[in-house]
Amino acid sequence: MNGQPPPYKQTEPLADPPPYEEPPSRSASLKQKDKLLPSGTIHHVLPTDTLVGLSIRYSVPLDLILSHNNLHFTDTPYSRSTLFIPFADVSHSPIESPEQERKRLVKRFQVLVKCESDEAWCYMRMYDWSVEEAQAAWREDVEWEKANGRRERNKGKSIIGRRSK
């Protein structure tokens, strides 16, 4: 042809646009969204978690976990403190190994009495990992040291090979 588009011919009259409606309120749209969300649970992300591991642990397909949390397969779960696990009925709480639990208890004792790590480990071992019993014994020892005089502790670490006074 001559490179021109064909002429426009209106065969039917255009319909009127639909009438303007007020958008629904935000709270109404949130209620509708809640109805659309599947049941599930919130998982608190641990440093040892992987997306595949969470999929296996909760028996939920990986693509569902990814899509409900706006994640890609190559993403790590560490970017979030929690993840929504759809269709999971059980919430798994973090499981501590005995060694992790002992470290946590020693740290708690150390913070409560403000002592060095080695001293905290000794007290906790002596009192079978009971923070309350170890704390009571530590306070008794501090009182005894005050009453009977004790040598001053080194403030800070001494240099290897030097004797502290």
Side-chain angles (χ1 to χ4, degrees):
M1 301 187 113
N2 61 2
Q4 296 290 331
Y8 175 73
K9 292 182 183 175
Q10 183 175 356
T11 56
E12 295 180 15
L14 294 176
D16 290 334
Y20 178 76
E21 294 177 10
E22 286 289 324
S25 70
R26 181 157 172 76
S27 62
S29 66
L30 288 176
K31 287 177 187 173
Q32 288 175 346
K33 247 186 190 178
D34 287 344
K35 290 178 185 175
L36 298 176
L37 285 177
S39 63
T41 189
I42 301 296
H43 174 81
H44 297 274
V45 178
L46 299 173
T48 55
D49 287 337
T50 63
L51 292 170
V52 173
L54 292 175
S55 173
I56 293 168
R57 183 176 189 181
Y58 288 99
S59 301
V60 174
L62 179 60
D63 59 337
L64 281 177
I65 295 173
L66 295 172
S67 64
H68 280 83
N69 291 284
N70 294 326
L71 293 171
H72 187 266
F73 183 74
T74 58
D75 291 339
T76 61
Y78 317 118
S79 59
R80 314 267 176 91
S81 60
T82 59
L83 290 173
F84 178 71
I85 310 294
F87 306 110
D89 295 332
V90 179
S91 179
H92 292 279
S93 60
I95 300 170
E96 286 184 323
S97 70
E99 182 63 24
Q100 288 172 323
E101 184 178 1
R102 284 193 291 268
K103 284 181 182 178
R104 182 181 57 78
L105 291 171
V106 167
K107 188 66 176 172
R108 182 170 165 218
F109 174 79
Q110 189 178 2
V111 168
L112 285 171
V113 301
K114 297 176 181 54
C115 68
E116 297 291 325
S117 177
D118 294 340
E119 189 175 10
W121 277 97
C122 285
Y123 274 96
M124 292 301 292
R125 281 189 197 108
M126 285 188 333
Y127 292 95
D128 200 29
W129 310 104
S130 169
V131 174
E132 292 78 19
E133 289 178 27
Q135 186 178 9
W138 185 85
R139 290 191 194 287
E140 285 177 23
D141 289 349
V142 167
E143 291 301 318
W144 183 89
E145 288 175 348
K146 284 180 184 175
N148 296 304
R150 68 172 190 147
R151 64 187 171 117
E152 288 296 316
R153 294 182 192 203
N154 294 337
K155 301 291 182 190
K157 296 184 178 179
S158 61
I159 299 173
I160 296 174
R162 290 178 100 188
R163 294 181 124 177
S164 55
K165 295 182 180 181

